[in-house]
Amino acid sequence: MISLDDIRKDMFSLHEKEKDIKSVDVRADTLDEALADAAVQFDTRVTNLEYEVIEKGFEGFMGIAKRPWFIKVYQNPDTIKKALDKTVSSIFGDDADDEGSQIVSKNGAYYIHRFDFQLVLKVTLPVGEGSPVNVSDILSDLNRPDTKSFDEAKVRELAVSGTNDEYVPIGEFNHVPSADAIFVVDISKDEMFATATINPPTMGGADVTAEQIKTALNKQGVVAGISDEKINALIDLPVYNEPVVVAEAVLPVDGHDAYIAYNFETDRSKIRAKEAANGQVDFKELNLIQNVVEGQPLAQKILAEQGKAGKTLYGRYLEASNGRDINLPLGKNVKVDTDGRTILAAMNGQVLLVNDKICVEPIMEVDGVNIKTGNITFLGTVIVKGSVEDGFDVKASGNIEVNGTVGKCTLESDGDIIVSSGVIGRDEGKIVCGGSLWAKFIQNTTVQVEENVIVNDSIMNSDVSAQKRIILQGKRAQITGGHLFATECVVAKNIGSDGGGTETVIEVGYDPKAKHRLEELQDMQNNNVKILDEIELNISTLENMKKIRKTLPKEKEANLEKLVEQKNSIIEENYEYNEEIGKIQARLRELKNIGKVYASGTVYSGVKIFVRDEKDEVRADTKNVTFYYENGFVRRGKYEQPDMDDIKGPEGYS
């Protein structure tokens, strides 16, 4: 049965164990980095730490919206004593092992003194691989002419068990008071330290005790800075005829100034190119842009600390300076959190330190995209004054504006994309746009936009899809080769090429994304049907074999079960495909805007026009024509000027 005394003992033990526990708050990009930082601060290993998560970190997507971990770290109470042992051992000069272990080796030690008329003994136990004290050495030192008597059995016991850092009486000696050690305590003129100078005792004389030194200090008016550690060390190993410091003034500690802890790299020279898994550096990924999202913490002011006043030995006040406060370095597009000291991004963009102020820039301007800049990923608008060279990509959450040309690259934008010159994709270029695309011309490029494609000159040998319209409105306004999709209409002057050449296909009147998904689903469904036929044939073969033999070998039985599971899985998958196909087909049938193709010039022979899945293959050159859907057929009518009043230029352009 557990008694109240048992509970008290357990509570006292727990209190003693945890009273020295300290904690630190750490911020870092990853949990491992945060724990490693705390381990350095505690001077211990990560395995000796415990922690609680205050704010969970987030790696972000492609480095965007990255949020650091914020944790409170405690040292495991079981390791604190070991850490203290390490600190003590370092005073004696013992080296820790190369892994920073808390356990160090130290030999045991003993100290024999004569206080008043008593013989006293202090024994410290060995640590780690250290050697214990030798009882023979203790007995030899006790056998002095002035020794009266001692308890040998007790000496042997204490040599093994230690004395818990205390002096224990073990016998008596013939005390001669006139032979006692004499000491004097001196106080420095500035009251900053006190020393004790001891004259050694002669045979039969008593040693100086710690209490005697403390009493002498108190009598001289010392009320602060008395060091038990220094006094005990002097008593254990006396230094004779030399002044030894036994008390020191409590020095003032100035408070540290307030400072800003940045959550981003302020020294751009430290930003490094991304390293691939094989260790090679990818110089296209230079990581020069530090993207942030609205509300993301950018920095925090660490408050100034008040100074801690000191005292002279006589208790006189020693003033300490308080840390100086600083203003928050607030620049453009940032705000202060409710705590009054955390700086947050007020919008998406690039975080910069400009004239020592934190700014978030929603627009990024570069002279060109090339080996100097690497690929660009930016939470905002990117303006390229020059060209985007082959092999480099630009991704932006805002608009992308390119004053030069775009080569064999990938451009991805949640907003509009404006290319003042042309796009020359060389069959590998790709443009994905959440708004509309404006360009002078497009060649050999795959284009996917959510709104309109507006081109001044020509589209050649490209796959272009638009959720609204594809419009060519310049003097040439030529579509030559390639496959164009638009939900509402395609407008051009000339379509195809004189004499045929490359195939030109125009499709309107449906949702290009839905149509592409429909074709993808139908391909997957057809593939599943082929696999299902083969599986059913194998199942039939094994089942017939089982009927004839009554049983199947274990391997074939397991194979049969696996085939049945695979068949059921494919049937279920095809059922899901059928449901999605039905929904897409219904949406395409209900599409109100049936689509038209307008050609104010010539549509050359060989061009294929699809309006709502109905096909019209042009077999002879046709001029000034509009293709439209009527009663299940593609009809041709006179060219009519399409209404494009709602087509506006990109924002910020006239």
Side-chain angles (χ1 to χ4, degrees), residues 329-399:
L330 301 178
K332 296 188 301 180
N333 305 319
V334 297
K335 59 185 179 181
V336 181
D337 202 357
T338 53
D339 63 3
R341 58 195 186 95
T342 301
I343 301 173
L344 307 176
M347 61 172 59
N348 297 350
Q350 175 183 199
V351 61
L352 299 168
L353 196 63
V354 181
N355 296 326
D356 295 327
K357 294 187 181 296
I358 299 172
C359 305
V360 174
E361 183 57 65
I363 298 175
M364 178 182 183
E365 293 190 16
V366 294
D367 291 332
V369 180
N370 46 45
I371 192 66
K372 292 182 180 179
T373 63
N375 297 333
I376 291 178
T377 301
F378 185 61
L379 285 178
T381 292
V382 176
I383 299 176
V384 183
K385 296 178 181 178
S387 299
V388 182
E389 295 183 8
D390 289 349
F392 292 91
D393 302 334
V394 179
K395 299 176 183 178
S397 65
N399 296 342

Side-chain angles (χ1 to χ4, degrees), residues 453-630:
V453 175
I454 298 97
V455 177
N456 286 338
D457 194 348
S458 63
I459 297 177
M460 297 178 62
N461 302 320
S462 298
D463 288 340
V464 181
S465 67
Q467 293 295 105
K468 292 185 177 180
R469 287 169 276 191
I470 299 175
I471 299 170
L472 288 87
Q473 55 187 11
K475 290 183 179 180
R476 289 186 59 195
Q478 175 83 31
I479 299 173
T480 306
H483 203 155
L484 277 64
F485 300 82
T487 300
E488 297 181 12
C489 65
V490 173
V491 180
K493 182 176 181 180
N494 301 313
I495 302 175
S497 58
D498 191 8
T502 56
E503 183 180 58
T504 304
V505 180
I506 310 292
E507 298 189 50
V508 293
Y510 60 85
D511 181 343
K513 279 188 175 179
K515 184 68 180 294
H516 287 152
R517 177 58 179 166
L518 180 63
E519 291 172 353
E520 186 180 74
L521 288 169
Q522 288 170 339
D523 287 342
M524 290 190 293
Q525 194 176 52
N526 291 335
N527 187 52
N528 274 354
V529 169
K530 292 177 183 177
I531 296 172
L532 196 58
D533 287 342
E534 186 177 343
I535 289 173
E536 286 179 339
L537 179 61
N538 292 334
I539 290 174
S540 177
T541 301
L542 289 171
E543 286 179 341
N544 289 335
M545 188 183 298
K546 190 173 182 179
K547 285 179 182 178
I548 295 169
R549 297 184 178 182
K550 302 300 182 184
T551 58
L552 287 174
K554 287 184 179 180
E555 290 183 4
K556 292 188 181 295
E557 186 68 45
N559 191 30
L560 178 59
E561 291 178 3
K562 186 177 179 181
L563 288 170
V564 171
E565 287 179 7
Q566 194 174 354
K567 174 185 174 182
N568 293 334
S569 176
I570 291 175
I571 290 172
E572 186 177 345
E573 196 175 69
N574 271 357
Y575 176 76
E576 293 174 358
Y577 289 164
N578 282 333
E579 278 195 332
E580 191 174 352
I581 286 170
K583 289 177 183 177
I584 292 174
Q585 288 175 335
R587 186 160 69 250
L588 292 176
R589 284 194 300 270
E590 293 168 2
L591 200 60
K592 291 181 179 179
N593 194 322
I594 59 176
K596 292 183 179 181
V597 177
Y598 301 92
S600 61
T602 303
V603 179
Y604 293 99
S605 62
V607 172
K608 297 181 179 68
I609 305 291
F610 290 85
V611 183
R612 296 194 65 185
D613 287 335
E614 297 302 325
K615 176 182 176 183
D616 182 359
E617 184 168 357
V618 179
R619 302 189 181 280
D621 294 354
T622 304
K623 297 181 180 293
N624 300 318
V625 62
T626 299
F627 295 85
Y628 61 94
Y629 180 85
E630 186 179 77

